[in-house]
Structures are given as C-alpha cells and as structure tokens.
C-alpha cells in the first residue's frame, strides 16, 4: 500500500478533529438561530435564507467528514488506494453561500459559514494535490503496456 505524499495519518486525524468541532458549532448555531425577530416579508426571507444556508453548510461539513473518514479507513488498511481514489473524492461544486441570502443572516452565522467554506477549500487543495501527484505517474494500464512492449523486444 503506497502512501500519498501530501497526506498522512497525522494530518487526517488533526483535520478530522477540527471537522468534528466545526460541525458541532454549525449544528449548535443553526439549531439556536431559529429566533429571527424581523417582521413581515423580511422575516420570511430571513427564514428561507437561514434554511438554505443551514442545509448548504451542514452538507458541506458532512462531505468533509466523509472524505476524512475514507482517508482514515485507507490509512488503517480498510480501503485500498483504488477504492479511495474511486469513492473518496470531494465534490468540487460545494457551492458557497449566496451573498443576498448571507446578508440576511446574523454576523456570527456568516463567520461560521465562511469558516466551513475555508475548511472545505483546504480539503479540496489536499485532495487535488494528492490526486495530481499520482496523475503524473503512469497509469496501471500504461505500465502494463510498457512491460509487454519491453518483454516483446
């Protein structure tokens, strides 16, 4: 089992701990943030914004935790590198919040959403670096073709 150059178990464990703390903060913030005190149409827009951003933010964190759990399983030998590469990919389209909706939310919630976006971006950079590093190496098929070509000479 070859280990990726840019990711190691200590990094994954530290990120996993950070993800759990951040996810707990997200859960607590959106659970307690149902107290919107605006009146009329603005209240409805704020509730919609809160619901949308809560769903978007919790989904982002669940994708991050799933990615980290896949890497933990790989380092513990429970997943092969092939399985990790095939099923352990982060979604590149974890959209950020919509500025119009974010403006309707409390500043503390906006800060927390930004923290989850930055955390996810860090994981994306790690994932892309890990995948790009081995993309430069010849694929298994290319290596097999080269061995066949060498054997036929």
């Amino acid at each position: 089992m070859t280990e990726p150059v840019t990711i190691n178990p200590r990094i994954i464990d530290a990120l996993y701990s950070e993800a759990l703390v951040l996810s707990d903060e997200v859960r607590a913030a959106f659970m307690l943030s149902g107290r919107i005190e605006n009146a009329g149409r603005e209240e409805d827009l704020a509730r919609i914004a809160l619901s949308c951003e809560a769903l978007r933010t919790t989904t982002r964190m669940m994708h991050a935790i799933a990615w980290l759990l896949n890497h933990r399983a790989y380092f513990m030998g429970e997943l092969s590198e092939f399985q990790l590469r095939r099923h352990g990919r982060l979604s590149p389209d974890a959209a950020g919040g919509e500025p119009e909706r974010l403006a309707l939310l409390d500043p503390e919630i906006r800060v927390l959403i930004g923290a989850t976006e930055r955390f996810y971006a860090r994981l994306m950079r790690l994932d892309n670096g890990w995948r790009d590093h081995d993309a430069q190496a010849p694929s298994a098929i290319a290596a097999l073709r080269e061995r066949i070509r060498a054997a036929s000479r």
Side-chain angles (χ1 to χ4, degrees):
M1 172 165 61
T2 61
E3 291 191 1
V5 173
T6 56
I7 302 175
N8 64 50
R10 285 187 358 202
I11 291 172
I12 293 300
D13 286 342
L15 288 169
Y16 181 70
S17 296
E18 187 177 343
L20 290 178
V21 169
L22 194 54
S23 294
D24 194 44
E25 290 174 7
V26 166
R27 181 198 54 78
F30 285 112
M31 185 173 67
L32 297 174
S33 63
R35 303 181 193 130
I36 300 172
E37 299 173 1
N38 299 336
R41 177 170 157 69
E42 294 227 358
E43 178 182 345
D44 290 340
L45 292 175
R47 286 176 197 239
I48 290 169
L50 184 65
S51 295
C52 290
E53 295 309 320
L55 181 59
R56 186 175 283 137
T57 303
T58 54
T59 299
R60 181 181 307 113
M61 289 310 299
M62 292 305 103
H63 281 281
I65 288 174
W67 185 86
L68 289 162
L69 285 172
N70 279 331
H71 278 77
R72 288 180 84 192
Y74 168 73
F75 285 119
M76 291 192 286
E78 296 171 0
L79 281 180
S80 68
E81 186 174 348
F82 175 77
Q83 291 170 315
L84 180 62
R85 288 189 178 282
R86 187 166 191 186
H87 303 291
R89 184 176 296 267
L90 277 174
S91 175
D93 47 313
E98 296 177 19
E100 312 84 44
R101 287 192 177 143
L102 288 172
L104 298 171
L105 301 177
D106 291 336
E108 300 84 24
I109 300 274
R110 289 194 304 259
V111 167
L112 188 57
I113 290 170
T116 66
E117 290 171 347
R118 288 186 300 278
F119 182 79
Y120 196 85
R122 284 171 47 206
L123 294 184
M124 283 296 296
R125 285 190 301 272
L126 271 175
D127 190 48
N128 290 337
W130 181 69
R131 290 176 189 286
D132 290 346
H133 174 73
D134 284 345
Q136 298 167 358
S139 69
I141 293 174
L144 180 60
R145 285 182 182 151
E146 185 58 36
R147 284 195 336 225
I148 291 171
R149 198 173 307 137
S152 66
R153 291 182 196 168

